[in-house]
Amino acid sequence: YLFLNGRIMKININHPTFIAFLDNTTKEVMNNVSVTNYFNLSQDKKMSILYLVFKLLKKSITFRTNLSDVEMKSFLVVLCKKNEECENYEFAAVINDIVNNYDAVSEFLKPIKRKRKVNKTDINKNA
């Protein structure tokens, strides 16, 4: 079962197409970020890896589909389980840490809303 569109949907996560999607997503991220020795890294370095992996996952997934935050969390849980099954434990740990710290990690990807500066002019200047 996978939580999508505000409800629990029955999706065959063992379907070959879905497994291929998970594999392609994992390979795309793993080709760009090294997670070797993840367990031995300091907390600051782990957070930077979490941010990079999440950014690449979001980019890769958004290219194929648009997921809300709840759907993204569900997808990450499935991705974590599949990587554990494939004995890719370090990447699974990274995904698990992203799920556990989702709000903090996703906050970095939200665009910064800048306040528009309004120039104040002196009305009495010409009077």
Side-chain angles (χ1 to χ4, degrees), residues 94-115:
V94 171
I95 300 300
N96 188 41
D97 287 347
I98 290 173
V99 171
N100 292 336
N101 300 309
Y102 187 83
D103 293 332
V105 174
S106 67
E107 190 67 31
F108 287 111
L109 290 183
K110 292 182 180 176
I112 298 171
K113 294 183 180 180
R114 296 185 180 187
K115 293 183 180 179

Side-chain angles (χ1 to χ4, degrees), residues 17-120:
T17 306
F18 190 73
I19 291 173
F21 176 65
L22 293 175
D23 288 340
N24 289 337
T25 304
T26 300
K27 287 177 186 175
E28 188 173 325
V29 172
M30 295 291 287
N31 286 336
N32 292 300
V33 177
S34 174
V35 294
T36 55
N37 296 323
Y38 176 75
F39 298 115
N40 298 328
L41 295 176
S42 68
Q43 189 62 29
D44 290 339
K45 290 183 180 181
K46 282 184 180 181
M47 284 304 288
S48 64
I49 295 230
L50 294 180
Y51 168 72
L52 288 173
V53 168
F54 184 70
K55 185 175 180 180
L56 288 169
L57 282 171
K58 191 86 166 170
K59 183 178 178 183
S60 176
I61 292 168
T62 305
F63 180 71
R64 295 174 183 105
T65 184
N66 192 10
L67 299 177
S68 69
D69 284 343
V70 175
E71 294 167 343
M72 184 67 169
K73 285 181 188 179
S74 298
F75 177 79
L76 290 173
V77 169
V78 172
L79 186 64
C80 180
K81 299 284 185 199
K82 287 295 180 182
N83 278 286
E84 286 175 354
E85 289 174 8
C86 295
E87 297 181 2
N88 193 0
Y89 297 116
E90 288 181 328
F91 189 68
V94 171
I95 300 300
N96 188 41
D97 287 347
I98 290 173
V99 171
N100 292 336
N101 300 309
Y102 187 83
D103 293 332
V105 174
S106 67
E107 190 67 31
F108 287 111
L109 290 183
K110 292 182 180 176
I112 298 171
K113 294 183 180 180
R114 296 185 180 187
K115 293 183 180 179
R116 199 170 179 181
K117 246 185 182 178
V118 178
N119 292 331
K120 295 182 181 181

